[in-house]
Amino acid sequence: MKAKKQLMDDKSYDLVAVLRQLSTVKDTWKGMLDSFHIICDISLKHHGPVSMGSSMKLMILREFLESCLSNNPNLESDYNSLISSCSDVVSAEVPNSLREIAKSIKDKQSFRQLTDEEALQVLVKGNDESGYRELDPMYDTWKLNPIPCVQTIKGLLSGNETQLQPKAVKSVDQVVDELKTPLTSVKKLLLKKLVLPWAQRGIGYRELSKYFSVYMNDIWRQGFRLLAQRMAAEGLIPTADHFFYLTVPEVEALCNGDRNSLILSRVRHRRRLYPQMGGYKFEEFIKGPQMRPRNFQKRITPPILSTGMVQMKGTPVSNGTVSARVCVSEDINEAHNIQSGDILITYSTDIGWSPYFPLLSGIITEIGGTVSHGAVIAREYGIPCLIAVEGACSAFKTGDTCVLDTTTQTITKVQ
């Protein structure tokens, strides 16, 4: 919290302002290296321990619930209800803000008919109207490319009014009293006063530490972009975009005056390979150097129940049942295909997906855990969600009508 206040809230560190005072590419690169310890040591050293602490608290919460009844049929639903009660989640600020903007627009019909660029100008100017990968420096942030946010606002205005309503927050007492698991008076008191509030704080702190890491990474991203522009201006690389296909030693060599033609030859080769390699998916846990991408088409054979019906199982992290159209988006660059009310099927989510969550009626991810971004936001908005549905992106296709049922832990294609 102290580091966040100093570097993020007080904005006491501005890497780009420091780099702009340097005149040459070589000095700019040295300035980037000198700032490395600030970006990595300060921002990243917090997220690991906080994440471990959050996971341990959730494990203890689950063990506490399991100790109340053996073979508890309501264990999963009650556990999800408990961890859904955390309201101090910083990732939820993005969809909340978009909701408020959408609600403030007076002529909703006219706004929906504008092009994305026209709608952006309306929002920027006021006028009485009120693709992004979070850790990849190659991709524009929403500040540089706000069009995905505009598209989400237009999508919200196309749906029903319930999508514009915030989540009804329940108190700890309400959540505990609604549990189906039988609790003794002592255990109920412990759960209300100690165990659940303690676990809730863990979830909130984990999201906050991730938020801080992403913010600091964006400072690093801005420094990279300035360096890339200067390298292009000095003729070291053809365009600024070429910078993101260089290795660190190659950047060092170019900044020190080594104009080796082999470097740019390798860059051209990597640019050709990137679309294919960017689509690789790997196992959630990988050990050793032999990392091979998983092949969904060959490995996954979803069970077929009857003619045209396909069903897969996963782990529920947010309760509910919904029948709706499916949108399969393996990558956030395909998120523009999402329609209001869709069930999103994707490999995994990060904070870059946040603007799209208000549009969804369900979420399926192939990987993730109970405190992954998709699970946290799904619980925050009461969106039914299954994780660990391996191969879902290849088993279903956009336009399928599916039933997501967290009670049976299944996603089933019915049409």
Side-chain angles (χ1 to χ4, degrees), residues 85-339:
S85 62
C86 179
S87 58
D88 185 21
V89 181
V90 71
S91 299
E93 291 180 6
V94 174
N96 274 338
S97 298
L98 293 175
R99 258 201 200 102
E100 291 304 312
I101 293 173
K103 286 167 65 176
S104 70
I105 295 172
K106 296 176 182 177
D107 191 347
K108 295 177 172 53
Q109 182 65 32
S110 298
F111 187 86
R112 287 200 303 267
Q113 294 174 352
L114 299 175
T115 66
D116 294 338
E117 289 73 17
E118 290 171 340
L120 176 61
Q121 289 305 310
V122 169
L123 294 173
V124 169
K125 292 179 180 178
N127 289 358
D128 297 326
E129 307 283 358
S130 245
Y132 166 52
R133 294 179 183 176
E134 64 180 353
L135 297 179
D136 192 333
M138 185 190 303
Y139 286 83
D140 290 341
T141 60
W142 298 324
K143 181 167 64 176
L144 297 174
N145 177 27
I147 293 299
C149 293
V150 175
Q151 293 170 338
T152 300
I153 293 170
K154 293 169 73 174
L156 282 169
L157 296 176
S158 301
N160 54 53
E161 289 295 322
T162 59
Q163 289 182 311
L164 300 179
Q165 301 304 315
K167 171 191 173 184
V169 179
K170 294 181 179 179
S171 68
V172 170
D173 288 349
Q174 286 178 300
V175 173
V176 174
D177 290 339
E178 291 175 1
L179 296 179
K180 297 177 182 177
T181 300
L183 299 170
T184 65
S185 299
V186 173
K187 287 194 172 183
K188 182 175 286 190
L189 184 63
L190 282 173
L191 190 57
K192 287 182 178 181
K193 301 299 181 183
L194 179 63
V195 181
L196 181 54
W198 185 58
Q200 288 176 331
R201 287 195 297 273
I203 295 173
Y205 283 142
R206 180 191 181 276
E207 286 291 295
L208 191 61
S209 68
K210 177 68 176 296
Y211 178 40
F212 179 50
S213 295
V214 172
Y215 174 86
M216 295 300 291
N217 182 79
D218 187 54
I219 294 177
W220 193 240
R221 182 201 312 259
Q222 294 173 40
F224 275 136
R225 288 179 174 271
L226 177 62
L227 176 61
Q229 292 164 7
R230 288 184 171 180
M231 290 179 68
E234 293 190 18
L236 299 177
I237 51 178
T239 68
D241 288 345
H242 284 71
F243 173 85
F244 299 102
Y245 298 93
L246 294 167
T247 65
V248 170
E250 289 168 350
V251 173
E252 179 110 40
L254 289 170
C255 289
N256 287 328
D258 182 1
R259 296 174 179 263
N260 188 337
S261 60
L262 288 177
I263 293 178
L264 296 183
S265 176
R266 287 195 289 265
V267 166
R268 288 191 292 270
H269 181 61
R270 292 166 189 155
R271 284 171 68 97
R272 288 193 297 269
L273 288 178
Y274 183 79
Q276 174 188 348
M277 297 182 70
Y280 285 158
K281 306 298 181 185
F282 294 86
E283 300 293 344
E284 189 165 3
F285 297 97
I286 300 175
K287 181 179 179 181
Q290 299 301 317
M291 296 185 291
R292 296 288 183 267
R294 55 197 285 190
N295 187 319
F296 295 135
Q297 298 294 337
K298 293 181 179 179
R299 286 192 49 186
I300 306 300
T301 305
I304 298 176
L305 304 182
S306 60
T307 305
M309 293 184 67
V310 176
Q311 185 176 89
M312 302 189 77
K313 299 199 72 171
T315 302
V317 292
S318 181
N319 298 332
T321 301
V322 62
S323 175
R325 173 187 179 269
V326 157
C327 179
V328 179
S329 299
E330 290 193 53
D331 188 271
I332 196 167
N333 293 321
E334 302 171 356
H336 61 277
N337 296 319
I338 294 174
Q339 297 180 11

Side-chain angles (χ1 to χ4, degrees), residues 317-370:
V317 292
S318 181
N319 298 332
T321 301
V322 62
S323 175
R325 173 187 179 269
V326 157
C327 179
V328 179
S329 299
E330 290 193 53
D331 188 271
I332 196 167
N333 293 321
E334 302 171 356
H336 61 277
N337 296 319
I338 294 174
Q339 297 180 11
S340 180
D342 277 356
I343 297 173
L344 171 67
I345 297 181
T346 187
Y347 184 67
S348 65
T349 66
D350 56 32
I351 199 168
W353 289 88
S354 294
Y356 303 99
F357 278 95
L359 302 176
L360 304 175
S361 62
I363 302 169
I364 302 290
T365 66
E366 295 205 5
I367 66 172
T370 56

Side-chain angles (χ1 to χ4, degrees), residues 32-64:
M32 288 286 294
L33 295 179
D34 290 342
S35 70
F36 181 79
H37 73 284
I38 298 177
I39 303 297
C40 292
D41 293 350
I42 296 178
S43 67
L44 297 181
K45 76 175 183 180
H46 298 295
H47 185 55
V50 171
S51 294
M52 290 174 63
S54 175
S55 297
M56 290 174 65
K57 290 173 183 177
L58 290 177
M59 287 172 60
I60 292 171
L61 176 64
R62 188 183 180 93
E63 289 290 334
F64 183 91

